[in-house]
Amino acid sequence: AQTVTQSQPEMSVQEAETVTLSCTYDTSESNYYLFWYKQPPSRQMILVIRQEAYKQQNATENRFSVNFQKAAKSFSLKISDSQLGDTAMYFCALQRGGSQGNLIFGKGTKLSVKP
Amino acid sequence: DTEVTQTPKHLVMGMTNKKSLKCEQHMGHRAMYWYKQKAKKPPELMFVYSYEKLSINESVPSRFSPECPNSSLLNLHLHALQPEDSALYLCASSQDWAGRADTQYFGPGTRLTVL
């Protein structure tokens, strides 16, 4: 069975500061993908960043970067220079390579960026 | 352009009504998905279409009936719903490489209320 665990239900950060959201996962597959999605209060789920398990290099998208520790099955998201628009629910998700639709979500972390 | 559109944005219906939700994408994706999301919870997969054929049905009650008229459109027909079916219904799409799904892109959702 595949599982995704986000142990921080809620977090807050001051504007311009850096925050790290935690995610651990479990899978027996060797080929898989990991994602962070953001869902602001306006509700549209937006892809933040994606990591292929076979790539050792951590993915980066502007102010968003991940720390992918494959052996530890850890996939944390770092947000640098936090902005008010980063306030949202963040979901970590796992997808098996070679599968259709099998996107396993964590329970989410609600991030509030304070001015 | 990574846009998935959904109509209507909000829908209120009685338990005896018949209504439909619509989803559209023009990214050339060949896999489309319906998810149900309750408040403060992650999305739950309902159906997956691949090349206009239903490939996954996650044991969804028959009062939900999906339809994929063409590669760009996905409908969800609703009939005799229960109040517990009230939720945000999300559509997503992705490339589909011979059964290997790529990153899913989500629409803004339809907020459904069943009275």
Side-chain angles (χ1 to χ4, degrees), chain A residues 37 39 43-44 50 100, chain B residues 37 50 56 96 102-104:
Chain A
Y37 282 94
Q39 191 173 34
R43 80 192 176 203
Q44 180 150 12
R50 160 192 161 127
Q100 262 180 356
Chain B
Q37 187 180 24
S50 175
I56 294 178
D96 185 333
D102 208 324
T103 303
Q104 293 183 31

Side-chain angles (χ1 to χ4, degrees), chain A residues 22-34:
Chain A
S22 301
C23 173
T24 58
Y25 63 94
D26 192 21
T27 180
S28 57
E29 303 285 334
S30 58
N31 181 21
Y32 57 91
Y33 303 87
L34 293 160

Side-chain angles (χ1 to χ4, degrees), chain A residues 38-105:
Chain A
K38 165 186 176 182
Q39 191 173 34
S42 62
R43 80 192 176 203
Q44 180 150 12
M45 189 86 72
I46 302 165
L47 175 70
V48 175
I49 204 163
R50 160 192 161 127
Q51 175 83 42
E52 288 94 327
Y54 64 87
K55 289 188 178 178
Q56 292 186 332
Q57 187 172 7
N58 289 325
T60 299
E61 286 289 342
N62 301 314
R63 298 182 295 107
F64 298 89
S65 62
V66 297
N67 184 2
F68 175 45
Q69 301 290 325
K70 191 171 183 178
K73 294 184 178 176
S74 171
F75 183 62
S76 60
L77 175 70
K78 185 171 84 170
I79 305 173
S80 304
D81 185 26
S82 297
Q83 300 176 359
L84 296 178
D86 295 333
T87 292
M89 182 72 84
Y90 286 81
F91 291 102
C92 179
L94 166 70
Q95 181 169 297
R96 256 188 321 157
S99 73
Q100 262 180 356
N102 197 9
L103 193 59
I104 310 299
F105 286 94

Side-chain angles (χ1 to χ4, degrees), chain B residues 34-106:
Chain B
W34 279 116
Y35 287 87
K36 173 182 178 180
Q37 187 180 24
K38 295 287 237 182
K40 300 183 181 181
K41 299 287 186 183
E44 299 172 8
L45 182 67
M46 300 174 72
F47 303 104
V48 181
Y49 272 83
S50 175
Y51 290 84
E52 295 104 72
K53 290 187 178 356
L54 183 64
S55 62
I56 294 178
N57 177 341
E58 293 285 358
S59 302
V60 179
S62 59
R63 56 186 185 269
F64 294 92
S65 176
E67 178 197 19
C68 190
N70 59 56
S71 60
S72 300
L73 280 175
L74 186 66
N75 298 320
L76 186 62
H77 303 297
L78 314 172
H79 174 56
L81 294 194
Q82 304 297 309
E84 59 265 28
D85 296 322
S86 298
L88 181 67
Y89 287 84
L90 295 169
C91 175
S93 71
S94 73
Q95 294 285 5
D96 185 333
W97 309 108
R100 180 180 68 80
D102 208 324
T103 303
Q104 293 183 31
Y105 295 93
F106 287 81

